[in-house]
């Protein structure tokens, strides 16, 4: 069929560039093949990545007709609208040329931060097959970047190491029973905007084409980190405090104590003391009280708080057992 | 820039070579046109063979490999690789490959086609994907220097010695010279020479074509292996594990299509092509039927099945999958000795572009990844020794010479689509005349056509003058390596006047003792390929 392939060409300096090409393609082949056909037959200056054509290399990620996709995994006939497909850059990236972006900055540098190789002392411990399944899950990742592309934290803070690096760098190594450096990895993961900066919006899990569920893996990593005694990180002390204070409150009273959550998050013992942090929240607190969002009445336990505490105890015990 | 060892290509073989050379104390740079984790190796699904099972032995592995190779294997290489395989797989496990394990906690082994024993270690159906990752992790650990998204058009060869590689930085278009005490060529296969073929837009015979143009001998180039079951969208080869576990090919009326010889996959591919030609197919496809359960489809075959679901809403457990045969890999390549040394001093080769003689005339499933790991290991080790002992550096005049050649190429008038025309003619020509079935007339026609394509190619320029990410320039240079490999394949196939392994001549349908005692060697001559032979 005849398809009009349109490219949104960013940072391309060629004054004669075209952005629309009619190409004859088999509707059963992939959008990536259609893109490649345009580049090979009509305009060799078009810039985009992509090599393997089977969804393994993860290099061709872009937007096709407004959907964020790995285009080699989408058939032409499933993407085309009114005989056209518009290709443009994904979000959260620095453009280099046309649909090609700075992938080193976007992902590889962050991945390398985690020292993604195993540290072993030469002796392999006895391992069961199921112990390695989480490692296989992380290694299934093709680094297509759709998780980081959808990440709402990276959207506002490009420094956040992001779900891809946390999965393929940190989860891959710390879940491997053969690794000997797990605790140090968690310390390092908290030194940057890393493990404690995820806001669990679940976008990463929604976007992953391979069912890897990075958001869930990050929650799992936090549990592992806390179980090893690494409860906070210099990179974002507030995020870790928030996480711990949230759990503390529910564990003690069965529900959320919002005042204490805010106070502990911004700096109250046992999570460190920051007067300036506390003061910075005062205007918001006063406003919340005025509007009736927060009250000054004492925080009471919910009925059933004891049962909730028991659930906590059970989960904590199971973590301890898992660790042992 | 000078390194003791310069590796070209960052798939499994290249990464393994780089890691081994670093372990031996050499300074190492890897030049790769795509990020290492985007290499073709990552798409390989089947396992890696090693005689680890109780009751298995390197001798049994050798026997199976020789049977598959149909008399053309280099026996000493087969013996060495099969003996080293168990230690190599254990080492990969210790480095971090999460191989599937059996209930005792040992590496679980599956029986692939061609093996008499369960011998393939695997990580579900993503063994190559994971091996490449773990070797890349090790390369990072050992601080290998990576030139990522740099493309090598030529080697620097001075007085018969390879002293470095010319390389473009794709992002800037700058041509540079990277000197090496030793060079390891590990730039993969020739998939883009054939249509249909398995995936990948970047297997353009880079390694084979560049080495050939630099004067290296190629060997066994007529040995081109096909895969029986590729799906059209995505060009995905449907896992060898499935064929080993009873998956069947059927025609549209349910007639079974099966292979009868080793290597089984190739023999099945030939039978499938014949069945499709005689009308048993539907839209050029046969149906692949499996007997796996949904649970297996969701675990062991997750990577294959998830892709099938995306491409064609199909499910391996239950649905017939429309597949067709296509070119899969080349078994010959740059002629090497057991250490990986080529006929050019200072140049080593590993992986698919290397003609080690391990596979002979037919590669057994599970031996491909093994060959990449071990040839990489050996070439890395030999190159480290050679590179550390050498003090040579490529002369800057070579860089000037190549820059001089490039300028007129960019200035020449050019038309969009000319290069694509050459490539599309070439790919269908190779499949029809130098594919599953060959004969003297067809090969002669192919040789003539390739010569004329070379002539028209020589007048073609590059329509795009931009420096940054000029794909047209890269495509121009890749077409050159494809044409080089094409003439070497056709010349070698003409010379082998018999049928053996994956090489089938309809005009010589039987094996010949005389031809079977020789390996075909090809070198670049003045007007075309210079074909000779040497004893097996």
């Amino acid at each position: 069929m005849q398809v009009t392939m349109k490219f949104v060409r960013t940072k391309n300096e060629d004054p004669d560039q075209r952005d629309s090409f009619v190409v004859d393609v088999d509707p059963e082949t992939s959008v990536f093949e259609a893109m490649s056909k345009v580049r090979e037959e009509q305009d060799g200056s078009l810039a985009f990545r992509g090599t393997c054509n089977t969804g393994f290399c993860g290099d061709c990620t872009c937007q096709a007709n407004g959907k964020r996709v790995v285009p080699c995994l989408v058939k032409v006939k499933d993407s085309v609208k009114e005989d056209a497909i518009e290709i443009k850059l994904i979000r959260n990236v620095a453009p280099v040329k046309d649909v090609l972006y700075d992938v080193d900055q976007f992902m590889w540098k962050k991945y390398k931060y985690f020292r993604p190789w195993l540290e072993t002392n030469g002796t392999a411990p006895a391992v069961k097959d199921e112990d390695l399944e989480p490692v296989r899950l992380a290694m299934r990742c093709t680094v297509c970047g759709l998780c980081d592309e959808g990440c709402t934290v990276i959207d506002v803070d490009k420094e956040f190491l992001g779900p891809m690096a946390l999965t393929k760098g940190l989860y891959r190594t710390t879940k491997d029973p053969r690794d000997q450096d797990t605790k140090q990895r968690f310390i390092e993961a908290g030194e940057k905007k890393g493990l404690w900066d995820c806001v669990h919006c679940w976008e990463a899990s929604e976007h992953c084409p391979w069912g890897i569920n990075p958001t869930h893996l990050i929650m799992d990593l936090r549990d592992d980190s806390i179980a090893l005694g690494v409860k906070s990180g210099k990179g974002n002390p507030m995020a870790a405090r928030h996480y711990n204070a949230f759990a503390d409150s529910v564990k003690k009273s069965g529900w959320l104590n919002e005042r204490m959550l805010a106070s502990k998050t911004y700096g109250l013992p046992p999570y460190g003391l920051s007067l300036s942090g506390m003061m910075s929240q005062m205007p918001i607190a006063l406003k919340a009280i005025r509007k009736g969002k927060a009250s000054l009445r004492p925080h009471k336990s919910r009925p059933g708080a004891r049962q909730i505490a028991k659930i906590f105890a059970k989960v904590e015990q199971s973590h301890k057992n898992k660790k042992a | 820039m000078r390194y003791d060892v310069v590796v070209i290509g960052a798939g499994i073989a290249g990464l393994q070579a780089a890691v081994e050379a670093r372990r031996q104390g050499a300074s190492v740079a890897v030049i790769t046109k795509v990020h290492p984790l985007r290499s073709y190796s990552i798409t390989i699904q089947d396992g890696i063979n090693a005689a680890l099972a109780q009751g298995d032995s390197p001798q049994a592995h050798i026997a199976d490999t020789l049977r598959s190779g149909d008399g053309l294997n280099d026996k000493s290489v087969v013996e060495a690789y099969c003996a080293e395989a168990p230690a190599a797989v254990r080492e990969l496990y210790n480095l971090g490959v999460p191989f599937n394990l059996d209930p005792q906690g040992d590496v679980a082994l599956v029986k692939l086609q061609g093996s008499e024993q369960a011998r393939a270690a695997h990580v579900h159906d993503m063994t190559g994907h994971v091996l490449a990752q773990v070797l890349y992790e090790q390369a990072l650990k050992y601080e290998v220097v990576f030139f990522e998204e740099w493309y090598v058009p030529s080697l620097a060869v001075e007085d018969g010695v390879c002293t470095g590689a010319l390389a473009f930085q794709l992002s800037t278009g700058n041509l540079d010279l990277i000197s090496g005490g030793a060079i390891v060529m590990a730039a993969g296969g020739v998939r883009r020479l054939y249509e249909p073929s398995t995936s990948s837009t970047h297997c353009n015979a880079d390694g084979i074509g560049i080495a050939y143009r630099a004067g290296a001998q190629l060997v066994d180039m007529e040995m081109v292996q096909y895969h029986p079951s590729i799906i059209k969208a995505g060009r995905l080869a449907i896992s060898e594990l499935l064929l080993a576990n009873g998956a069947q090919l059927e025609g549209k009326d349910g007639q079974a299509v099966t292979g009868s010889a080793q290597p089984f996959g190739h023999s099945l591919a030939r039978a499938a092509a014949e069945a499709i030609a005689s009308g048993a197919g539907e839209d050029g496809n046969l149906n692949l039927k499996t007997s796996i359960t949904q649970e297996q489809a969701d675990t062991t075959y997750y990577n294959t099945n998830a892709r099938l679901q995306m491409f064609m809403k199909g499910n391996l457990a239950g649905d017939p999958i429309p597949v067709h045969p296509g070119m899969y890999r080349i078994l010959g390549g740059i002629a090497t000795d057991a250490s990986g040394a080529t006929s050019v001093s200072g140049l080593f080769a590993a992986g698919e572009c290397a003609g080690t003689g391990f596979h002979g005339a037919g590669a057994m499933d599970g031996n491909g990844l093994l060959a990449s790991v071990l040839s990489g290991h050996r070439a890395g080790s030999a190159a480290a020794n050679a590179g550390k002992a050498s003090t040579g550096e490529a002369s800057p005049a070579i860089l000037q010479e190549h820059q001089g050649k490039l300028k007129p190429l960019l200035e020449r008038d050019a038309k969009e689509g000319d290069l694509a025309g050459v490539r599309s003619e070439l790919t269908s020509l190779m499949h029809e005349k130098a594919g599953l079935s060959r004969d003297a007339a067809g090969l002669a026609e192919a040789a003539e056509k390739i010569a004329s394509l070379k002539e028209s190619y020589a007048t073609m320029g590059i329509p795009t003058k931009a420096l940054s990410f000029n794909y047209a320039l890269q495509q121009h240079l890749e077409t050159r390596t494809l044409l080089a490999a094409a003439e070497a394949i056709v010349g070698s196939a003409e010379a082998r006047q018999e049928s053996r392994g994956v090489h089938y001549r309809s005009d010589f349908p039987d094996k010949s003792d005389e031809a079977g005692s020789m390996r075909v060697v090809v070198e670049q001559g003045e007007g075309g390929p210079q074909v000779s032979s040497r004893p097996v």
Side-chain angles (χ1 to χ4, degrees), chain B residues 426-459:
Chain B
L426 194 57
T427 51
S428 49
L429 180 75
M430 291 303 283
H431 175 62
E432 280 159 27
K433 310 291 179 194
L436 285 162
S437 178
R438 301 144 175 201
D439 60 45
L443 290 166
E445 193 190 320
E448 206 173 299
K449 187 73 201 164
I450 291 167
S452 91
L453 286 173
K454 266 174 80 176
E455 262 177 48
S456 30
Y457 167 77
T459 66

Side-chain angles (χ1 to χ4, degrees), chain B residues 122-186:
Chain B
H122 67 117
V123 186
H124 295 319
D125 59 343
M126 53 171 183
T127 313
H129 195 64
V130 171
L131 253 53
Q133 280 176 57
V134 170
L135 289 168
Y136 179 56
E137 291 169 5
Q138 291 298 307
L140 293 176
K141 177 181 174 183
Y142 282 98
E143 297 178 325
V144 169
V145 176
F146 280 98
F147 290 83
E148 282 162 15
E149 298 191 334
W150 286 60
Y151 172 75
V152 173
S154 301
L155 293 170
V157 179
E158 297 167 86
D159 304 324
V161 181
C162 184
T163 52
L166 280 305
F168 279 104
Q169 184 170 27
L170 297 180
S171 63
T172 61
N174 285 340
L175 182 65
D176 221 320
L177 178 61
I178 300 168
S179 295
I183 311 296
V184 179
M185 184 60 84

Side-chain angles (χ1 to χ4, degrees), chain A residues 33 40 49 52 57 75, chain B residues 38 149 192 199 235 311:
Chain A
E33 292 229 16
E40 296 200 355
R49 289 194 182 85
C52 86
C57 87
K75 278 188 189 180
Chain B
R38 315 300 195 188
E149 298 191 334
R192 288 280 279 172
S199 62
R235 300 158 174 271
F311 288 136

